Amino acid sequence: MRRVVLPAVTLLLAGCGSEPSGPQDVVVEAGPQRVEAAPTQYCVDGEGQRYDTTPPIIEVSPDTTVRLTVPDAVAERGWSVQVFDEQLEELLGEVEVDTGRAVFDEINTSDVVPAAFYLVVVEDADEECEGFSGAWPIGFLRAGGSQGGTATEPTTPAPQG
C-alpha cells in the first residue's frame, strides 16, 4: 500500500511547482471589470504559434485606469503595450514597461483619442523563435467619444492622496 501512495504524492508535489506548458492569459482590469485575454500568438518550445482566438472588447468610461497583469515569464523577458486603432491596423503609440514588472497601470482610457482602440501586450521577442513573440490584444470601446484619431500624451495627472 505504501508503494502506491508515495508515487502519487510525488506526482502531486511535482505538479505544484511546474511552469505551465503553454501560454498564459493576460489579466485586464478597467474600473470594476476584470477580463482574461488569451494570446493570438506565442513562442512555444522555440516555435512560433498562432492561435485562432477573438480578443475581448471591454466597454469603458472615460478617465478609467487600465491595469494589465502579465505572467511572470513575460515580465522577466520584458514587454510593452502597443496602442492600435479600432481595426488593429494602425499603430498609434507604444509604451515600454520595465523588465521584471508584471503589473502596469499607467494607461487611462482617455489617453487615446479614438473612442474605439486596442491595447496589445507584446512580449519582447525570444531569440529561440527568431523574433517571434507573444501578443495579447484587448479591445476598448470608450463611452462618449467619436472614432478615429491618434494617441495623445496623458492628461494632467490626478492629485494624489
Side-chain angles (χ1 to χ4, degrees):
M1 182 97 167
R2 192 172 192 170
R3 285 180 148 172
V4 174
V5 173
L6 286 176
V9 170
T10 303
L11 286 173
L12 287 173
L13 291 175
C16 290
S18 64
E19 291 277 325
S21 59
Q24 293 179 283
D25 292 348
V26 166
V27 176
V28 184
E29 296 170 273
Q33 300 179 78
R34 183 181 189 277
V35 175
E36 294 185 12
T40 54
Q41 63 183 45
Y42 196 76
C43 179
V44 178
D45 297 326
E47 291 190 30
Q49 303 289 321
R50 294 192 189 274
Y51 302 99
D52 186 21
T53 183
T54 302
I57 297 177
I58 305 170
E59 291 185 37
V60 293
S61 298
D63 295 318
T64 301
T65 297
V66 176
R67 178 183 173 105
L68 303 166
T69 304
V70 300
D72 289 340
V74 174
E76 290 169 10
R77 179 168 291 117
W79 58 292
S80 63
V81 181
Q82 295 179 348
V83 182
F84 279 86
D85 67 359
E86 71 276 1
Q87 299 298 314
L88 267 173
E89 294 175 356
E90 182 183 353
L91 178 64
L92 303 175
E94 183 170 6
V95 180
E96 293 293 327
V97 179
D98 293 335
T99 300
R101 187 172 176 186
V103 177
F104 185 74
D105 60 1
E106 297 177 23
I107 296 177
N108 181 297
T109 57
S110 293
D111 290 343
V112 183
V113 170
F117 61 94
Y118 279 88
L119 297 180
V120 181
V121 171
V122 179
E123 181 179 33
D124 288 354
D126 189 345
E127 290 179 20
E128 291 180 6
C129 272
E130 300 174 4
F132 197 85
S133 66
W136 295 258
I138 305 103
F140 291 86
L141 182 56
R142 185 180 60 241
S146 61
Q147 295 183 5
T150 59
T152 63
E153 290 297 315
T155 57
T156 306
Q160 299 296 318

